[in-house]
Amino acid sequence: MRLDVFAILGLPLVIGLLLLIVYPLATALGRSFVGRDGIDLAPLQALLRDPGFSRSFMNTLIVIAVAGSSALLIGSLFAWLNERTDASFGAVSRMAPLVPLLIPPVAMSVGWIFLAQSTAGFLNGFLRAVLGLAGIHLTTGPLDISSWPGLLFAYTIALVPYAYIVVSPALRNMDTALEEASRMSGAGPLRTAIQVSLPAVGPALVSAALLIVIIAAALYSIPAIIGSSARIETLSVYIVYLTQSSSSGLNQSVAASMMLLVFLTGVWGLQRWITQRQRQVKISGKSASGTVVRLGRWRRLAQALIVAYLLSVSVLPFLALVVVALQPFWQANINPGAFTLKAFNTFISGPNKLGRDALMTSLELGAVGASIVMIVATIMVTYAHQVRGTIASFIHGVTKIPAAISGLVIAVAILYTFAGPPFRFKGTPLILLLAYLVMFMPQASIAAETARGQVGDDLLESSSMSGASRLRTSWRVLWPLMRPGLAYGWAMIFVLILGDLIAASILSGPGNMVVGSAIVEIYTGGIFSDLAVLGTVVCVTALVVVGLVITVYGRRAGQRGVRVTEASSAPTLTS
């Protein structure tokens, strides 16, 4: 009997992950709500009496309702333009809605502070100059990112990708017969999209809405940077504040986290109820070719919208970071002749090591954390593919559980469980690694499942029939073919860890300061040159890592695809 390393490692890893999810939640609940005399609801009662909780909860509902709805609309529009119309102009238009996933939200938030702050924002300086030519003289504005409209705008552009990644595949794979029938009946492109295309993917829209609600409720970087300057507190900021106040505040933060979990569970139940009563157009064998909607004179406007979004979420904020980093001091007027590298030199070799040390810690955590998460996910997914059936469904379910739990809830539970005795992980990188392992497992498992699904079982069966063990088959056949997909997943997790502010705000301290918490601390201190330099370095690092992975593994995948095509005369390979 041959040794099966996946059976040895797979199931224990799944059980360990389940314990890492359940144990901290149970511990936090037990210590917060169970006293010597039984159930103690004092933390919950104190929370409900606190006007700050009701205010932050209402603010969060407003953000979800307004920004979430706007993001769902914009993301669905971009999906329709790219998948159903002639407005798409290749990889740029398809990648534009996904760019926020490659740029840490905390860097984008800081960039928009530099762009649209009411007095020194670059866009405001430009607009005031233009308005001055027309005889309209302003000393502040006209834009103000530190306001409700500014906060909702930042939330919206950050949430668009989560709608796009769900709606776009649904539109791509749906049968186009209903659309063709609508156009033959005289309906225009817009009417067909509203009355036929989007209703046909109704369940996907509802799923996208659920994902947006989960992300928006837990998002911390935008309200911590933009919301704090606007004096608008959301539930995520309120929970983080409680974790940093006192031991009683920690109990209340657990209560607030559980309230958030109950709210998200209710939203999930509503989503399930709606999707079970909706009908979705299924994928059919009919080709979607030849069904592209011609937008005519509206095509350029649609393409301009895509480009404007790309500018809003990446190009403009990044340029703002670079300009502030090169200026002697932050001002609305840009003078290239005064640019200097002094801030970069100070960041690299200056006496203030906060940003430098935080960057090195985040890079190390990103590399180690992404590797651990992807290795664990790959082993579990490979084992699930081997056993199939109920056990496989159980494994897939466990890896997706954290997606239904706010990252704030996970971070608070891990802090309550592992910060003190007997573990005493507070202030160490290990407590952050535990949080990242749970928080980013759903993304890692999806990447691993996608990579595994692209490898045909016939190749593995041929290797086994040749006498190779499962481990040797996996090492020589399976993993090399999965490597591009796993590399993309690793890059995604690396970027998420590099720009994380949820776990960082709750679990980091002087001994394990990371980029997210350092940016907030520098921003609070008003040292804008250091802030801009750190934000610039983070963005460049994220883009370089993602670019290298896409360049290296995209080229290899393409070369391998050419070889398979040339050898496709064999019937077993053409399937």
Side-chain angles (χ1 to χ4, degrees), residues 286-523:
K286 184 176 180 178
S287 172
S289 60
T291 62
V292 173
V293 177
R294 306 292 176 182
L295 296 181
R297 64 180 182 274
W298 298 103
R299 180 169 178 261
R300 295 302 180 190
L301 176 60
Q303 292 177 336
L305 288 175
I306 296 175
V307 173
Y309 178 77
L310 183 61
L311 290 173
S312 298
V313 298
S314 59
V315 178
L316 289 178
F318 176 72
L319 289 178
L321 290 170
V322 174
V323 170
V324 173
L326 294 175
Q327 284 182 328
F329 55 90
W330 178 24
Q331 58 179 351
N333 298 323
I334 300 175
N335 180 15
F339 284 176
T340 174
L341 295 176
K342 181 179 179 181
F344 286 95
N345 293 330
T346 302
F347 178 82
I348 295 173
S349 58
N352 187 357
K353 300 191 297 180
L354 174 63
R356 188 165 62 246
D357 291 346
L359 177 63
M360 292 305 300
T361 302
S362 287
L363 291 175
E364 294 170 359
L365 281 172
V368 175
S371 301
I372 292 175
V373 174
M374 285 307 305
I375 289 173
V376 171
T378 302
I379 293 175
M380 291 192 296
V381 166
T382 304
Y383 178 63
H385 199 86
Q386 289 179 359
V387 295
R388 305 181 187 274
T390 304
I391 296 179
S393 299
F394 171 74
I395 294 173
H396 291 313
V398 170
T399 59
K400 304 303 186 298
I401 288 176
I405 305 174
S406 167
L408 281 170
V409 177
I410 294 172
V412 170
I414 287 181
L415 174 67
Y416 213 116
T417 304
F418 295 104
F423 301 100
R424 303 185 188 277
F425 291 161
K426 185 177 182 180
T428 67
L430 183 57
I431 195 169
L432 284 166
L433 283 176
L434 291 176
Y436 294 148
L437 179 60
V438 177
M439 290 170 58
F440 301 133
M441 181 53 65
Q443 296 92 326
S445 64
I446 290 173
E449 289 168 10
T450 302
R452 178 61 184 87
Q454 294 174 345
V455 181
D457 290 338
D458 52 346
L459 296 175
L460 308 183
E461 293 171 359
S462 299
S463 176
S464 298
M465 292 176 63
S466 301
S469 65
R470 273 186 172 175
L471 180 59
R472 182 176 176 83
T473 297
S474 298
W475 185 259
R476 299 295 298 273
V477 180
L478 178 61
W479 287 346
L481 295 175
M482 291 176 61
R483 195 175 298 147
L486 298 180
Y488 295 149
W490 184 93
M492 175 180 62
I493 304 301
F494 176 85
V495 171
L496 289 173
I497 293 176
L498 183 64
D500 167 68
L501 195 53
I502 296 176
S505 60
I506 295 175
L507 300 175
S508 69
N512 61 349
M513 185 70 71
V514 291
V515 162
S517 52
I519 285 180
V520 173
E521 185 168 330
I522 295 172
Y523 175 74

Side-chain angles (χ1 to χ4, degrees), residues 161-176:
Y162 300 100
Y164 181 83
I165 59 177
V166 176
V167 178
S168 181
L171 284 172
R172 184 186 313 131
N173 294 325
M174 65 172 282
D175 191 346
T176 60

Side-chain angles (χ1 to χ4, degrees), residues 111-131 138 140-145 153 308 311-312 315-317 319-320 323-324 330-334:
W112 269 104
I113 288 289
F114 293 149
L115 284 169
Q117 198 269 345
S118 60
T119 56
F122 298 132
L123 287 180
N124 280 323
F126 172 76
L127 292 175
R128 287 198 294 267
V130 173
L131 292 174
L138 301 175
T140 61
L143 304 178
D144 186 8
I145 195 68
F153 166 78
L311 290 173
S312 298
V315 178
L316 289 178
L319 289 178
V323 170
V324 173
W330 178 24
Q331 58 179 351
N333 298 323
I334 300 175

Side-chain angles (χ1 to χ4, degrees), residues 79-95:
W80 179 72
L81 290 174
N82 278 323
E83 301 298 340
R84 281 288 179 264
T85 75
D86 61 348
S88 175
F89 46 93
V92 174
S93 64
R94 293 183 182 275
M95 281 297 297

